[in-house]
Coordinates of all heavy atoms in Angstrom, one line a residue:
R1 N -53.3 -62.1 96.7 CA -54.1 -62.2 95.5 C -55.2 -61.2 95.4 O -55.8 -60.8 96.4 CB -54.7 -63.6 95.4 CG -53.7 -64.8 95.5 CD -52.8 -64.9 94.4 NE -53.4 -65.3 93.2 CZ -52.7 -65.4 92.0 NH1 -51.5 -65.1 91.9 NH2 -53.4 -65.7 90.9
G2 N -55.5 -60.8 94.2 CA -56.6 -59.9 94.0 C -57.5 -60.4 92.9 O -57.1 -60.5 91.8
D3 N -58.8 -60.7 93.3 CA -59.7 -61.2 92.3 C -60.0 -60.1 91.2 O -60.1 -58.9 91.6 CB -61.0 -61.6 92.9 CG -60.8 -62.8 93.8 OD1 -59.9 -63.6 93.6 OD2 -61.6 -62.9 94.8
T4 N -60.3 -60.5 90.0 CA -60.8 -59.5 89.0 C -62.2 -59.2 89.4 O -63.0 -60.1 89.6 CB -60.7 -60.2 87.6 OG1 -59.4 -60.5 87.3 CG2 -61.3 -59.2 86.6
Q5 N -62.4 -57.9 89.5 CA -63.7 -57.4 90.0 C -64.6 -56.9 88.8 O -64.1 -56.1 88.0 CB -63.5 -56.3 91.0 CG -62.6 -56.6 92.2 CD -63.3 -57.4 93.2 OE1 -64.6 -57.2 93.5 NE2 -62.7 -58.3 93.8
A6 N -65.8 -57.4 88.6 CA -66.6 -56.9 87.6 C -68.1 -56.8 88.0 O -69.0 -57.0 87.3 CB -66.6 -57.9 86.4
Q7 N -68.3 -56.4 89.3 CA -69.6 -56.3 89.8 C -70.4 -55.2 89.0 O -69.9 -54.1 88.8 CB -69.6 -55.8 91.3 CG -69.0 -56.9 92.2 CD -67.6 -56.7 92.5 OE1 -66.8 -56.4 91.7 NE2 -67.2 -56.8 93.8
G8 N -71.6 -55.6 88.6 CA -72.4 -54.6 87.9 C -72.0 -54.3 86.5 O -72.6 -53.4 85.9
A9 N -70.9 -54.9 86.0 CA -70.5 -54.6 84.7 C -71.4 -55.1 83.6 O -72.2 -56.1 83.8 CB -69.1 -55.3 84.4
S10 N -71.5 -54.4 82.5 CA -72.3 -54.9 81.4 C -71.5 -55.5 80.3 O -70.6 -54.9 79.7 CB -73.1 -53.7 80.8 OG -73.8 -54.1 79.6
L11 N -71.7 -56.8 80.0 CA -71.0 -57.5 79.0 C -72.1 -58.1 78.0 O -71.9 -59.1 77.4 CB -70.2 -58.7 79.6 CG -69.0 -58.2 80.4 CD1 -69.1 -58.5 81.8 CD2 -67.7 -58.7 79.8
V12 N -73.1 -57.3 77.8 CA -74.2 -57.7 76.9 C -73.7 -57.9 75.5 O -73.0 -57.0 74.9 CB -75.3 -56.6 76.8 CG1 -76.4 -57.0 75.8 CG2 -75.9 -56.4 78.2
G13 N -73.9 -59.1 74.9 CA -73.5 -59.4 73.6 C -72.0 -59.5 73.4 O -71.5 -59.6 72.2
A14 N -71.2 -59.5 74.5 CA -69.7 -59.6 74.4 C -69.3 -61.0 73.9 O -70.0 -62.0 74.2 CB -69.1 -59.2 75.7
N15 N -68.2 -61.0 73.3 CA -67.6 -62.3 72.9 C -66.5 -62.7 73.9 O -65.4 -62.1 74.0 CB -66.9 -62.2 71.5 CG -66.2 -63.5 71.1 OD1 -66.5 -64.6 71.7 ND2 -65.3 -63.5 70.1
L16 N -66.8 -63.6 74.8 CA -65.9 -64.1 75.8 C -65.4 -65.6 75.5 O -65.0 -66.2 76.4 CB -66.5 -64.0 77.2 CG -66.8 -62.6 77.7 CD1 -67.9 -62.5 78.6 CD2 -65.5 -62.1 78.4
Q17 N -65.5 -66.0 74.3 CA -65.2 -67.4 74.0 C -63.7 -67.7 74.4 O -62.8 -66.9 74.1 CB -65.4 -67.6 72.5 CG -65.1 -69.1 72.1 CD -65.5 -69.4 70.6 OE1 -66.1 -68.5 70.0 NE2 -65.3 -70.5 70.2
R18 N -63.6 -68.8 75.1 CA -62.3 -69.3 75.5 C -61.5 -68.3 76.4 O -60.3 -68.4 76.6 CB -61.4 -69.7 74.3 CG -62.0 -70.9 73.7 CD -61.3 -71.2 72.3 NE -59.9 -71.3 72.3 CZ -59.1 -71.5 71.3 NH1 -59.7 -71.7 70.1 NH2 -57.8 -71.5 71.4
S19 N -62.2 -67.3 77.0 CA -61.6 -66.4 78.0 C -61.4 -67.2 79.3 O -62.1 -68.1 79.6 CB -62.4 -65.2 78.1 OG -63.7 -65.4 78.6
R20 N -60.4 -66.7 80.1 CA -60.1 -67.3 81.3 C -60.6 -66.3 82.5 O -60.1 -65.2 82.6 CB -58.6 -67.5 81.5 CG -58.1 -68.6 80.5 CD -56.6 -68.7 80.4 NE -56.1 -67.6 79.6 CZ -54.8 -67.4 79.4 NH1 -53.9 -68.2 80.0 NH2 -54.4 -66.3 78.7
M21 N -61.6 -66.8 83.2 CA -62.2 -66.0 84.2 C -62.3 -66.7 85.6 O -63.1 -66.4 86.4 CB -63.7 -65.6 83.8 CG -63.7 -64.9 82.4 SD -65.3 -64.8 81.6 CE -66.1 -63.7 82.6
T22 N -61.3 -67.6 85.8 CA -61.2 -68.3 87.1 C -61.2 -67.3 88.2 O -60.3 -66.4 88.3 CB -60.0 -69.3 87.1 OG1 -60.2 -70.3 86.1 CG2 -59.9 -69.9 88.4
G23 N -62.0 -67.5 89.2 CA -62.0 -66.7 90.4 C -62.5 -65.3 90.3 O -62.5 -64.5 91.2
M24 N -63.1 -65.0 89.1 CA -63.6 -63.6 88.9 C -64.8 -63.4 89.8 O -65.7 -64.2 90.0 CB -64.0 -63.5 87.4 CG -64.4 -62.2 87.0 SD -64.8 -62.2 85.2 CE -65.2 -60.5 84.9
V25 N -64.9 -62.1 90.2 CA -66.1 -61.7 91.0 C -66.9 -60.8 90.1 O -66.5 -59.7 89.7 CB -65.7 -60.9 92.3 CG1 -66.9 -60.5 93.0 CG2 -64.8 -61.8 93.2
A26 N -68.1 -61.3 89.7 CA -69.0 -60.6 88.7 C -70.4 -60.6 89.3 O -71.3 -61.0 88.5 CB -68.9 -61.2 87.3
I27 N -70.6 -60.2 90.5 CA -71.9 -60.2 91.1 C -72.8 -59.2 90.4 O -72.4 -58.1 90.1 CB -71.8 -59.8 92.6 CG1 -71.0 -60.9 93.4 CG2 -73.2 -59.7 93.2 CD1 -70.6 -60.5 94.8
A28 N -74.0 -59.7 90.0 CA -75.0 -58.8 89.3 C -74.5 -58.3 88.0 O -75.0 -57.3 87.5 CB -75.5 -57.7 90.2
A29 N -73.5 -58.9 87.4 CA -73.0 -58.5 86.1 C -74.1 -58.9 85.0 O -74.8 -59.9 85.2 CB -71.6 -59.0 85.8
D30 N -74.1 -58.3 83.9 CA -75.0 -58.6 82.8 C -74.3 -59.2 81.6 O -73.6 -58.6 80.9 CB -75.7 -57.3 82.4 CG -76.9 -57.6 81.5 OD1 -77.1 -58.8 81.1 OD2 -77.7 -56.6 81.2
F31 N -74.5 -60.5 81.5 CA -73.9 -61.3 80.4 C -75.0 -61.7 79.4 O -74.8 -62.7 78.6 CB -73.3 -62.6 80.9 CG -72.1 -62.4 81.8 CD1 -72.3 -62.3 83.2 CD2 -70.8 -62.2 81.3 CE1 -71.1 -62.2 84.0 CE2 -69.7 -62.0 82.1 CZ -69.9 -62.0 83.5
T32 N -76.1 -60.9 79.2 CA -77.1 -61.2 78.3 C -76.6 -61.4 76.9 O -75.8 -60.6 76.3 CB -78.2 -60.1 78.2 OG1 -78.7 -59.9 79.5 CG2 -79.3 -60.4 77.3
D33 N -76.9 -62.5 76.3 CA -76.5 -62.9 74.9 C -75.0 -63.0 74.7 O -74.5 -62.9 73.5 CB -77.1 -61.9 73.9 CG -78.6 -62.0 73.7 OD1 -79.1 -63.1 73.9 OD2 -79.3 -61.0 73.5

């Protein structure tokens, strides 16, 4: 298995409604707003 990697990614103002992110690695990612 390989986790989806999103370390340090910027998702500022992104629409993630009903998205599936089980097991995702998003250390220090930016989900502001």
Side-chain angles (χ1 to χ4, degrees):
R1 307 290 293 177
D3 295 332
T4 299
Q5 305 281 324
Q7 293 97 318
S10 175
L11 291 115
V12 175
N15 177 19
L16 290 152
Q17 186 171 355
R18 289 168 55 181
S19 60
R20 290 170 286 178
M21 303 166 72
T22 296
M24 183 178 186
V25 179
I27 299 169
D30 192 351
F31 294 95
T32 300
D33 291 327

